[in-house]
């Protein structure tokens, strides 16, 4: 990004962009407000004009990731061939592709939750919880569309596999765990499809 492009964006947007890059790459505790201000090309005073505290900035960082991430999962699901079981697996396969990128650092929501585990009332924890719940509810709606029994339970099982894949990939740096989790998710959904078929 050139200096001119930087200046063209409103200060608040530049601060959020900088926070997004730094917090995701390095973690929220490792990054100071000064570092975010410098990366955004603004003074610390300007940053505090837009955000009362670092906690507010961390919350906004996660908020800015919420809809783009949900839309990405939805796009992966919608563009996949096959039935609903194949489409669920496709989300995991696409996630595995993303995880193979050198800049991939795991799920920003889970990493932030881990850093703030001793602060359950932190606004970012509520945003992270809300994001995960939205994904779960969206999955349940897909299962309702495909007339599967107990859609909420299936969605919860897929979410457990998804977050397990995120965490395990971060530990082992091996995207194959997401592919395996995808196979497991596909099996769960396929079993529900088969259970609903007339015999």
């Amino acid at each position: 990004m050139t200096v001119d492009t930087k200046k063209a964006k409103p200060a608040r947007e530049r601060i959020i962009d900088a926070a997004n890059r730094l917090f995701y790459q390095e973690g929220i505790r490792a990054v100071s407000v000064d570092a975010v201000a410098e990366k955004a090309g603004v003074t610390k005073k300007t940053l505090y004009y837009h955000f009362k505290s670092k906690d507010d900035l961390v919350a906004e960082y996660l908020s800015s990731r919420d809809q783009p991430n949900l839309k990405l999962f939805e796009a992966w699901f919608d563009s996949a061939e096959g039935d609903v079981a194949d489409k669920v697996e496709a989300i995991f396969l696409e996630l595995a592709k993303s995880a193979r990128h050198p800049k991939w650092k795991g799920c920003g929501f889970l990493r932030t939750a881990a850093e703030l585990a001793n602060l359950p009332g932190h606004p970012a924890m509520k945003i992270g919880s809300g994001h995960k719940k939205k994904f779960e509810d969206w999955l349940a709606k897909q299962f309702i569309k495909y007339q599967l029994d107990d859609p909420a339970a299936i969605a919860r099982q897929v979410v457990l596999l998804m977050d397990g894949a995120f965490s395990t990939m971060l530990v082992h740096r091996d995207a194959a765990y997401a592919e395996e989790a995808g196979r497991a998710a596909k099996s769960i959904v396929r079993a529900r499809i088969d259970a609903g078929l007339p015999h």
Side-chain angles (χ1 to χ4, degrees):
M1 185 182 283
T2 66
V3 175
D4 288 342
T5 316
K6 245 189 195 180
K7 294 272 189 275
K9 268 191 177 182
R12 182 183 170 83
E13 209 176 308
R14 296 203 316 269
I15 294 164
I16 295 167
D17 287 349
N20 221 313
R21 286 195 295 276
L22 291 172
F23 288 154
Y24 182 72
Q25 288 300 314
E26 299 172 33
I28 58 171
R29 292 197 191 277
V31 175
S32 67
V33 167
D34 294 277
V36 175
E38 187 183 335
K39 182 90 171 164
V42 300
T43 64
K44 200 167 166 184
K45 185 178 175 185
T46 300
L47 187 147
Y48 279 121
Y49 171 78
H50 291 283
F51 300 95
K52 285 186 309 219
S53 64
K54 184 179 176 183
D55 287 343
D56 283 348
L57 185 56
V58 170
E60 189 57 43
Y61 149 66
L62 283 190
S63 283
S64 74
R65 299 179 77 82
D66 177 53
Q67 283 307 309
N69 282 12
L70 293 170
K71 282 183 178 146
L72 189 59
F73 289 137
E74 196 173 331
W76 288 344
F77 181 91
D78 289 341
S79 63
E81 299 287 328
D83 65 11
V84 64
D86 298 310
K87 286 173 175 290
V88 166
E89 183 186 28
I91 297 174
F92 288 83
L93 297 178
E94 292 295 338
L95 176 60
K97 282 183 202 167
S98 296
R100 289 189 168 97
H101 192 282
K103 287 189 177 174
W104 189 82
K105 302 280 185 185
C107 171
F109 295 92
L110 289 180
R111 285 179 53 217
T112 301
E115 289 198 66
L116 298 173
N118 62 332
L119 298 168
H122 193 288
M125 292 293 274
K126 291 174 185 164
I127 290 162
S129 169
H131 171 79
K132 293 293 181 182
K133 195 68 186 132
K134 279 185 220 169
F135 177 63
E136 187 180 321
D137 291 345
W138 172 79
L139 270 174
K141 280 178 191 155
Q142 305 316 305
F143 300 143
I144 289 166
K145 275 187 209 168
Y146 286 88
Q147 300 178 321
L148 300 187
D149 285 337
D150 211 353
I154 314 170
R156 189 160 282 197
Q157 289 163 17
V158 172
V159 164
L160 285 166
L161 286 164
M162 174 69 71
D163 284 342
F166 269 124
S167 302
T168 313
M169 283 192 295
L170 201 56
V171 170
H172 296 296
R173 298 288 168 182
D174 185 353
Y177 283 96
E179 293 165 346
E180 202 59 57
R183 280 190 278 277
K186 182 178 181 175
S187 296
I188 288 168
V189 178
R190 177 79 68 226
R192 293 286 186 157
I193 294 169
D194 292 346
L197 290 174
H199 295 289

